[in-house]
Amino acid sequence: MSTNLIILAAGKGTRMKSDMPKVLHAVAGAPLLVHAMKAGMALEPSKMIIVAGHGAEDVAAAAQDYQPAAEIVLQTEQNGTGHAVLCAKDALAQATGDTLVLYGDTPFISAETLENMQAARARYDVVVLGFEAADPARYGRLVMDGPRLQRIVEFKDASDEERTITFCNSGVILCSNKNMFELLSQVTNDNASGEYYLTDIIGLAHSAGLSATAVACAEAETMGVNSRADLAAAEAAFQARARAEALENGVTLTAPETVFFAHDTYIGADTIIEPNVVFGPDVTIENGAHIRAFSHIEGAHVSRGAVVGPYARLRPGAELSENVHVGNFVEIKNATLAEGAKANHLSYIGDATVGPETNIGAGTITCNYDGVFKHHTTIGARAFIGSNTMLVAPVTVGNEAMTATGAVVNKNVPDGAMAIARTPQENKPEVAYRLFDKLRAKKARQQDEGK
Ligand code: UD1
Ligand code: MG
């Protein structure tokens, strides 16, 4: 059966104290909203509707950047979760199958949990995701009768007895698209908050002779973000899980608690990651690579047997082939290093193609930017770039070519040629002795004068 997805993301998130809508704050390099969308993708939704309100344009841009097919509907006034879902009614007027509601500020619902809910739908008309709360606080309470869910009562509206219930509502709910909107059309705002509660559809379903149940998941999955402290806690939870998964997948982490992953980091088995390594989005590290301490890597692909760092920086578009070595204080951006190429010390390689087995000497810079445009540097196979070479792009250095130390290369270097581009050295006999004598005499005079 097809499933439609509605993600509620209209709230302001006042407690974030931010100009940015809450769902755009990032965990592991991706907005909270994208985590929720990713979770929902597990059910291969036929439609994905984002209900946006505060900062709707930015929310739409972030949603469609991740999923261009995502549809945005507006909720201009936040009149409650039920009202928010109703805003998607027109967008889903022709939809068939089921509809699942997720919250944009709840990033960690697992695929397995959503599949469990889907399985429960075979036996119940409405399925709610619940959890045993360590501290039920102000969550909505699930009023059960055996396996059947009778209704959900919001904390504000609950009796003392109902408040003792610890099985709580996560907010995630699944039922047929038809039932969702038929039941919602009957919801009123006659409650302690004066809001239209999505949760009221359970009681209404019960009265209409429909069946409902609650599927339980771990409380950690339902973690929502309301404040910067929650955001930090969500980041910590994500990192703890990512580190455990990396170890489980055969990656060596010398000091796991100091390595930070992005939401989409892929690390192959037998890779070694030393302490204090940070991964930004869009990184793939193939099996058996070695990432040394204090490296920062984003938007990069690192192949088998490559060695990166210590203190290396790989920026978007860095493509390292097998057995490439990138050493300390080397920055690589939008550049391909072919098999066995080495840039071991203090270099900037940007907008460049480097051939196999080529050696880039210490202090080499690709001067890629003229203040307005970026230009490309091409270096062939088995070339040798002397230390402190300035490669003034656009420029090409041929196969097995060399550049002399300190060269400023602004003309192409043919295959096999040696480029020398620096002022020739001149030695002036005895000049250093005379200069030293002069300077020392000056210093002595100054000391006599008591300066
Ligand atoms: C809701 C549930 C409660 C549950 C809790 C779990 C209702 C009535 N209550 O309460 O049972 O235990 O979540 O966290 O559903 N939103 C909109 N538009 C609105 C209102 C909310 O987009 O008009 C979005 C919010 O941005 C948020 C989500 O819906 O992402 C939940 O809203 P929130 O106000 O946090 O609901 P709770 O009161 O926490
Ligand atoms: Mg809430």
Side-chain angles (χ1 to χ4, degrees), residues 22 103 105 226:
K22 175 166 76 174
Y103 292 170
D105 61 1
N226 294 303

Side-chain angles (χ1 to χ4, degrees), residues 99-159:
T99 290
L100 172 76
V101 177
L102 295 176
Y103 292 170
D105 61 1
T106 305
F108 299 141
I109 306 286
S110 71
E112 193 190 353
T113 290
L114 295 180
E115 283 155 11
N116 287 343
M117 289 180 73
Q118 223 170 24
R121 263 285 289 136
R123 283 167 291 123
Y124 295 90
D125 296 307
V126 184
V127 180
V128 165
L129 182 62
F131 63 102
E132 273 300 330
D135 171 14
R138 304 185 66 81
Y139 287 117
R141 306 299 208 262
L142 300 181
V143 181
M144 303 296 291
D145 177 15
R148 289 187 166 247
L149 174 62
Q150 292 198 304
R151 60 192 190 99
I152 304 179
V153 58
E154 288 307 300
F155 176 81
K156 276 190 190 170
D157 304 292
S159 65

Side-chain angles (χ1 to χ4, degrees), residues 305-347:
V307 180
V308 174
Y311 297 97
R313 179 166 185 210
L314 303 184
R315 290 174 51 205
E319 168 70 46
L320 274 48
S321 307
E322 293 189 13
N323 303 317
V324 161
H325 288 195
V326 169
N328 41 278
F329 306 107
V330 173
E331 174 179 345
I332 311 273
K333 183 218 69 169
N334 188 32
T336 299
L337 275 66
E339 200 171 333
K342 292 186 173 63
N344 272 329
H345 333 268
L346 298 156
S347 283

Side-chain angles (χ1 to χ4, degrees), residues 109 128-137 139-142 165-172 214-224:
I109 306 286
V128 165
L129 182 62
F131 63 102
E132 273 300 330
D135 171 14
Y139 287 117
R141 306 299 208 262
L142 300 181
I165 297 173
T166 54
F167 194 32
C168 291
N169 175 31
S170 70
V172 181
V215 161
C217 72
E219 184 168 8
E221 285 188 41
T222 70
M223 174 180 213

Side-chain angles (χ1 to χ4, degrees), residues 21-103:
K22 175 166 76 174
V23 293
L24 296 189
H25 286 268
V27 163
L32 291 167
L33 177 62
V34 167
H35 287 272
M37 292 169 77
K38 239 178 152 170
M41 291 298 285
L43 299 187
E44 298 172 9
S46 33
K47 272 184 166 253
M48 189 188 280
I49 316 290
I50 314 291
V51 181
H54 287 278
E57 265 179 42
D58 294 339
V59 169
Q64 287 170 343
D65 181 52
Y66 173 63
Q67 271 299 320
E71 284 176 51
I72 313 299
V73 300
L74 282 181
Q75 186 197 27
T76 39
E77 261 179 85
Q78 277 67 62
N79 293 329
T81 49
H83 177 254
V85 173
L86 268 176
C87 292
K89 187 177 177 178
D90 288 348
L92 291 174
Q94 309 300 324
T96 55
D98 274 3
T99 290
L100 172 76
V101 177
L102 295 176
Y103 292 170

